[in-house]
Amino acid sequence: MTLSSPAHDTLIDALAESGYAIADTVLSPDEVTALAAEALRLSRDGALKPAAIGRQASVQLDPTLRGDAIRWLDESQASPAQQAYFRVMHGIREACNRELYLNLVELETHFAVYPPGGRYTKHLDQFHRSGARKISSILYLNRDWQAPYGGQLRIYLEGEQPEPYLDVDPIGGRLVLFDASRFYHEVLPATQPRLSLTGWFRMRADHPLT
Ligand code: OGA
Ligand code: MN
């Protein structure tokens, strides 16, 4: 399934206007189910690694700050469902480049599985001295997610201030995009395992830092 251009336009308009965008039907339900099954299989096989925070010298593992386990995707080895994901994401990347002049050249993506109770405390995705991660994207994979399970993505709308914020339920098939340099955000704990594909569109490394 490919994203039609009106759907692209809506996403790009929202990104340009608010700095974030939410779309619920970028993949088919079967593709979302297949990706969820892959995430669960990797988890059962012990193929996910506890996720770290920080970078290089300051990397640390602290499950009270960040509770998910991850595995990076290798696009050259993508399963059919992952290929569908990459097709959609590259379509969005090209639309961002065309309409917003962003010069996004890469996409890095990992599966993320949060166990019940797992959270990711308030943070910014862009590393301090690098503007390379331009747009954050999360595709949620739990098909039968219910709001009372928790696990919302809380997006802070005014810098580090605790309010106002927007809570997004991690509903299977939902894609969230936001400006990685602008929005602090956090993952609230859930009562169920919470599955996603989290990615970042990156600028060319030699692009001036923002
Ligand atoms: C992240 C992150 C949000 C989410 O992995 O950096 O903020 O809703 N994820 O999973
Ligand atoms: Mn984040």
Side-chain angles (χ1 to χ4, degrees), residues 27-150:
L27 288 179
S28 71
D30 285 352
E31 287 162 343
V32 174
T33 302
L35 290 166
E38 289 180 19
L40 288 173
R41 191 172 341 111
L42 290 166
S43 176
R44 270 195 299 268
D45 292 351
L48 301 175
K49 297 268 181 309
I53 48 178
R55 189 165 76 145
Q56 294 172 356
S58 62
V59 161
Q60 49 169 316
L61 279 178
D62 184 341
T64 64
L65 298 179
R66 180 171 183 187
D68 58 330
I70 67 168
R71 184 182 177 94
W72 292 97
L73 267 59
D74 176 353
E75 193 169 350
S76 68
Q77 311 271 314
S79 67
Q82 291 177 21
Q83 288 172 23
Y85 164 81
F86 281 117
R87 267 197 304 279
V88 167
M89 298 304 281
H90 288 307
I92 292 171
R93 184 172 63 75
E94 282 156 19
C96 286
N97 289 348
R98 206 171 45 237
E99 310 294 333
L100 306 176
Y101 311 107
L102 283 183
N103 197 21
L104 306 170
V105 291
E106 284 175 47
L107 170 68
E108 51 180 13
T109 299
H110 62 60
F111 279 110
V113 177
Y114 286 81
R119 58 165 67 231
Y120 192 163
T121 49
K122 189 172 179 179
H123 66 281
L124 200 60
D125 284 344
Q126 212 171 56
F127 296 116
H128 289 306
R129 276 182 301 281
S130 161
R133 284 182 168 180
K134 216 50 207 165
I135 295 183
S136 303
S137 80
I138 306 119
L139 175 70
Y140 298 107
L141 301 177
N142 292 83
R143 284 284 310 283
D144 301 315
W145 195 263
Q146 312 281 324
Y149 295 167

